[in-house]
């Protein structure tokens, strides 16, 4: 594992290992994944199907725990040997490649799900703004 540099990093994934249990046996999916992104930098995970790209994103978002290593977001450890910050406290947005809407919510409810700290009028304005942006205003 490389030491964290003094330059601010928006995301640091340091030597993470993730495994799933299959019939009680650990199946390693990620072993020693290590990368970082500076603020405003864009990264891309590339690889064959099944190599662990989605698992890496799920670990960063907090949907799965890590077996070893550290994940740091904006200088705050969110996953590590003694730390696990739940997904809703990580400020990480995830857009899934497959159907990932809440079936019990309408369109506006799905759009507003992640909006916190807004009063009702601000929330309604933001929902309208986002639906207009993607051409779905009539679907709210």
């Amino acid at each position: 594992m490389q030491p964290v540099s003094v330059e601010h990093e928006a995301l640091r994934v340091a030597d993470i290992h993730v495994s799933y249990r299959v019939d009680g046996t650990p199946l390693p999916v990620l072993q020693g994944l290590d990368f970082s992104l500076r603020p405003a930098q864009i990264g891309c995970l590339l690889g064959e199907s099944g190599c662990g790209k989605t698992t890496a994103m799920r670990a960063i978002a907090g949907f799965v725990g890590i077996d070893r290593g550290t994940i740091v977001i904006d200088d705050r450890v969110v996953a590590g040997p003694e730390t696990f910050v739940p997904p809703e406290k990580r400020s990480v947005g995830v857009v899934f490649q497959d159907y990932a809407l809440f079936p019990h919510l309408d369109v506006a409810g799905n759009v507003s799900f992640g909006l916190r700290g807004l009063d009702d009028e601000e929330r309604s304005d933001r929902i309208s703004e986002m639906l207009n942006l993607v051409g779905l205003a009539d679907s709210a």
Side-chain angles (χ1 to χ4, degrees):
M1 181 173 87
Q2 300 174 355
V4 176
S5 70
V6 286
E7 182 181 348
H8 173 69
E9 295 171 316
L11 173 64
R12 175 76 174 129
V13 173
D15 191 36
I16 67 167
H17 293 241
V18 177
S19 59
Y20 293 110
R21 290 207 167 274
V22 177
D23 297 327
T25 303
L27 173 66
V29 177
L30 294 176
Q31 296 178 299
L33 181 63
D34 194 79
F35 68 90
S36 65
L37 294 172
R38 294 180 309 278
Q41 187 176 25
I42 296 174
C44 179
L45 296 176
L46 295 174
E48 296 177 12
S49 179
C51 74
K53 300 177 300 291
T54 299
T55 297
M57 297 306 298
R58 291 175 56 80
I60 292 165
F63 300 150
V64 298
I66 61 174
D67 301 327
R68 188 171 107 195
T70 306
I71 299 172
V72 179
I73 299 173
D74 285 330
D75 299 323
R76 177 176 163 228
V77 176
V78 296
E82 304 282 324
T83 306
F84 181 80
V85 174
E88 65 274 14
K89 299 199 186 263
R90 293 190 185 200
S91 296
V92 172
V94 177
V95 177
F96 294 95
Q97 64 187 11
D98 56 3
Y99 184 72
L101 297 174
F102 296 111
H104 66 289
L105 298 176
D106 60 13
V107 172
N110 272 280
V111 170
S112 69
F113 181 79
L115 298 177
R116 292 184 179 83
L118 301 177
D119 63 34
D120 289 342
E121 184 177 343
E122 290 173 314
R123 180 184 308 275
S124 179
D125 289 348
R126 186 70 173 155
I127 292 167
S128 294
E129 179 185 353
M130 293 298 100
L131 289 175
N132 281 325
L133 182 68
V134 296
L136 291 175
D138 293 339
S139 300

